[in-house]
Amino acid sequence: MSEPMIPKTMGQQFGRRSWAEPWKIKIVEPIHMTSSAERQRAIAEAGYNTFLLRSEDVTIDLLTDSGTGAMSDRQLAGLMLGDEAYAGSRNFYHLEEAVRTYYGYKYMVPTHQGRGAEHLISQIVIKPGDFIPGNMYFTTTRLHQELAGGTFVDVIIDEAHDPISEHPFKGNVDLDKLQALIDKVGAEKIPYVSLAGTVNMAGGQPVSMANVKALRRLCDRYGIRLYLDATRMAENAYFIQEREEGYADKPVAEIFKEFCDTTDGAWMSAKKDSMVSIGGWLAVNDEEIFDKARNMVVVYEGLHTYGGMAGRDMEALAIGIEESLHDDHLRARIGQVRYLGELLSDWGIPIVRPVGGHAVFLDARRIYPHIPQDQFPAQTLTAELYLDSGLRAMERGIVSAGRDPKTGEHRHPKLELVRLAIPRRVYTQAHMDVTAESVKAVYDMREQMRGLKMVYEPAYLRFFQARFARL
Ligand code: F0G
């Protein structure tokens, strides 16, 4: 295995033409540097859970790409145009127009973030005893489906659970699995199919246009609704442009709209694609469902013209929606994620292939084959990365999967991963180099590593607040 310690830099290869971000930096935020002794103390105090670290103790923060993106000068200017009227803020109408123009749905209800919208749609359309098929679970999405009395059923293609498969659309739904569920439980027990663009837990893997269209036809045959988790749908549309026949010459915004038009509605965590600190929405084409959502939002989120967001947040979001669909923005965004992933792959470090849209996922199962899943290999790896360099990552394995609500046992997901999520427009290529070198240093120490035991476990979404101790 040849292991160049210094990554290839721009211009090193004669004749190479590099890409660059379509923006320049106007404001900077200093990063606090930590010593090894400080990090030892901080991670022990945090119970070996990176969610419990103080952000001041982190150098490069790849915990999440959620709410951590850099706003543009246009978005910041938008903050100054906030109309903070309790009802009927003009910023709400801008947001509504942006959702209609770019996503194409008729009716929109704002929420404070994605899970607020998940709560609304789950409570409105799921009845106790229902089944909700989807292309792999997401933590908050599944929990809201369960809290409404539903059971989530994974119908993603098998390749999605295989970190080394190079399938270009690992987010696709396996229509045979969906058909089998319909045959087994009956279409009347399936209120909707829960389809996510670039599947987070599978490694940021996209769904093809051909797949969503075939899925639509199957849903129509049985009168089942098709709802989209649009959180990272812009990135999904970019992958279609890059990989699917017939889309190379279409602008991402057009592909995006075509995809959304194939679905009946969507929920959105605007903190990702749309590059705002907070916000979300639910949008549907069905007026009856909209009426229920608009009524329910006042109970849990806020009036239907702000839903938990300030007027200024809605303005920045309306602008962010438009910016999120620029082709050159997405090329640079996904290009940066790919740069980090390819560097790690070149060094022989096991990651989920192909590199996805928002993050590079380290395969903790293959990095620590000697640590059993019940001793939390991915959680262990997040702690080691932090100790090495102050790099913050997130566990996406057995801790995130939680317990089966019926049996109370740990769910054992096939994928035991650590996610390095890249915030949009925030870090430079040098930060990616430093990150890759830290992963390499931790990887080189892999054989000595032992696992963790869980010493505190909260009832819901345990990964956020669980505490661990070294074995
Ligand atoms: N759906 C997906 C695919 C998500 O990734 C998230 C959040 C949500 C829904 C919920 O949205 O956080 O605004 O309430 N994902 C974050 C992450 C937390 O780090 O991946 P939210």
Side-chain angles (χ1 to χ4, degrees), residues 109 117 194 230 351 406 419:
V109 174
S194 179
I351 64 167
K406 293 197 183 87
R419 187 182 74 173

Side-chain angles (χ1 to χ4, degrees), residues 365-409:
R365 201 186 270 284
R366 278 186 293 152
I367 293 173
Y368 294 144
H370 56 288
I371 302 182
Q373 198 171 21
D374 286 359
Q375 294 174 12
F376 314 112
Q379 190 75 33
T380 305
L381 184 53
T382 62
E384 291 309 311
L385 291 170
Y386 175 73
L387 284 166
D388 179 70
S389 64
L391 172 66
R392 175 151 70 170
M394 186 191 289
E395 195 264 8
R396 294 279 80 157
I398 186 169
V399 184
S400 296
R403 291 180 187 274
D404 186 305
K406 293 197 183 87
T407 66
E409 296 296 317

Side-chain angles (χ1 to χ4, degrees), residues 16-32:
R16 173 176 149 179
R17 304 301 298 257
S18 295
W19 58 269
E21 289 81 0
W23 41 260
K24 54 188 175 175
I25 296 166
K26 185 143 42 184
I27 297 178
V28 297
E29 177 182 344
I31 293 175
H32 179 218

Side-chain angles (χ1 to χ4, degrees), residues 64 113-115 118 138 140 200 229 231-232 269 272 419:
T64 178
Q113 59 181 74
R115 69 199 72 178
E118 289 170 345
F138 182 71
T140 57
N200 193 349
D229 181 336
T231 297
R232 296 183 185 84
S269 170
K272 282 84 164 175
R419 187 182 74 173

